[in-house]
Amino acid sequence: MSINENHLLHHSASLRVGLIGDPVAHSLSPQFQQAALDALGIAARYELWQTPAEQLLERVRSLCDKNCLGANVTIPHKRAVLPLLDKIDPLAEQIGAVNTIVHRDDYLYGYNTDAPGLLHALQEQGIGKIGPNGQISLKGYTVVLLGAGGAARGAAFALTGAGIERLIILNRHLERAQLLAADVQQHYDGPIFSLNDPAFLIPHASAIIINATSLGMHEDASMLPTEVLARFNPDTFVYDMIYNPSQTYLLCQARAIGLRTANGLSMLLHQGALAFTLWTGKPAPLDVMRAALE
Ligand code: NAP
């Protein structure tokens, strides 16, 4: 039995878990996390914990309360919480960002479930294989990663960790792509290319194109001209981490030329499901969570 399962059984008072960030009001996490807690009969509330930077230390300390399971962490605190925790999972350490905190045995543990959440989101589209140990392998795939910010960094470590054939990072500011490439290369033997001009993209078989920029959230624009996208094989999969709007310009471009696509809602779902299991020690009710997001 996991420590947190023990926690769940021996507390009659309502447990708490929540989202630490600034802002948090727009978040979809309460609706699908609460649905999951309720479906499993866990007497816990998922709360929104609006936390400006000057209150972060106090907020993290409050997670040590005996009725607190832990927290999710979002913008702008994913990096800043690291030194405030007792132990950091190796993947979160590599990425340098924590999005899930677990309160276990009076200690606070930091994890990154955004990165594996992306792998699960790809896997449910038939991309990659699950090994006997439950790990997702992306052997043979070439990934074109658009962006070099926080989300791209998590994706780059997760994708290379899953054994992709090569990584191509395309970012508006080339030096950020190069810095990310250099960090990832320390843990990865395959080739990594950094670009800032999509015209130099060479199509590869079994390609996955992932948008990890915010371009497309507020404008009808994408990093890739349609003629560049059209060079890729018809089996290319295009994933946009953005889920609002649900159809970004990039996804419309890709669909118009017949490529398979998905938006970032599945990544949100899977990072949440992985966090749920870390807090509760129980398999996440994915169908319930997915339905709550619709
Ligand atoms: P970030 O750290 O601020 O990075 C932003 C990235 O977008 C950088 O690569 C930046 O390029 C690029 N960018 C911004 N405006 C651009 C423009 N006008 N033209 C070209 N590139 C532009 O942000 P983040 O935390 O990585 O988040 C990126 C996106 O991922 C957001 O839309 C976020 O909502 C999404 N996301 C989704 C999930 C999910 O669960 N689905 C999880 C995390 C993030 P420069 O480096 O050149 O400035």
Side-chain angles (χ1 to χ4, degrees):
M1 181 185 291
S2 82
I3 294 305
N4 272 30
E5 260 180 275
N6 203 11
H7 207 150
L8 299 183
L9 288 177
H10 293 96
H11 280 78
S12 48
S14 186
L15 298 167
R16 299 161 72 221
V17 57
L19 175 65
I20 297 173
D22 185 13
V24 291
H26 64 285
S27 170
L28 298 177
S29 290
Q31 77 193 54
F32 75 104
Q33 293 290 5
Q34 192 63 55
L37 292 164
D38 295 347
L40 269 58
I42 298 170
R45 276 197 322 275
Y46 189 100
E47 301 174 345
L48 287 176
W49 295 330
Q50 167 71 28
T51 307
E54 63 276 14
Q55 289 169 19
L56 185 62
L57 177 62
E58 193 187 336
R59 176 69 73 191
V60 170
R61 279 200 184 133
S62 76
L63 303 180
C64 295
D65 182 279
K66 68 175 173 28
N67 289 326
C68 189
L69 293 174
N72 279 135
V73 184
T74 189
I75 287 169
H77 303 317
K78 288 186 186 185
R79 189 171 277 275
V81 294
L82 265 84
L84 309 180
L85 304 176
D86 298 303
K87 198 159 168 53
I88 310 291
D89 177 73
L91 178 65
E93 187 90 60
Q94 270 181 359
I95 297 169
V98 159
N99 79 320
T100 301
I101 301 174
V102 179
H103 176 212
R104 189 192 292 144
D105 284 342
D106 289 336
Y107 292 102
L108 297 178
Y109 293 79
Y111 297 88
N112 188 305
T113 68
D114 283 330
L118 170 66
L119 300 184
H120 285 271
L122 294 173
Q123 216 287 316
E124 74 172 30
Q125 298 288 332
I127 312 282
K129 292 195 173 71
I130 302 188
N133 53 4
Q135 283 212 314
I136 295 172
S137 165
L138 291 173
K139 217 160 173 283
Y141 285 95
T142 291
V143 174
V144 177
L145 181 61
L146 311 178
R153 189 175 168 85
F157 278 100
L159 293 160
T160 52
I164 58 170
E165 196 79 10
R166 64 177 69 72
L167 177 64
I168 303 166
I169 305 172
L170 176 71
N171 196 51
R172 175 177 58 178
H173 293 101
L174 179 61
E175 60 284 9
R176 281 191 88 188
Q178 290 168 330
L179 282 173
L180 175 56
D183 278 358
V184 175
Q185 196 75 82
Q186 291 180 34
H187 307 269
Y188 175 63
D189 292 335
I192 307 181
F193 304 91
S194 309
L195 300 175
N196 64 351
D197 184 347
F200 291 108
L201 269 180
I202 299 165
H204 292 270
S206 302
I208 311 170
I209 298 173
I210 298 173
N211 179 38
T213 73
S214 45
L215 185 63
M217 272 177 97
H218 305 294
E219 55 286 278
D220 277 343
S222 89
M223 292 279 287
L224 298 181
T226 303
E227 63 271 20
V228 170
L229 210 49
R231 288 183 203 155
F232 282 81
N233 287 8
D235 71 347
T236 299
F237 185 79
V238 181
Y239 192 82
D240 200 326
M241 286 196 192
I242 296 172
Y243 50 83
N244 186 16
S246 60
Q247 290 302 317
T248 58
Y249 187 72
L250 174 69
L251 295 186
C252 293
Q253 283 176 296
R255 283 156 62 119
I257 55 176
L259 303 183
R260 293 174 302 146
T261 65
N263 72 26
L265 208 56
S266 50
M267 179 175 165
L268 178 76
L269 169 74
H270 285 286
Q271 66 74 30
L274 292 165
F276 182 93
T277 299
L278 286 167
W279 296 320
T280 65
K282 295 178 184 298
L286 262 184
D287 292 347
V288 169
M289 297 174 94
R290 200 187 303 272
L293 274 174
E294 278 163 6

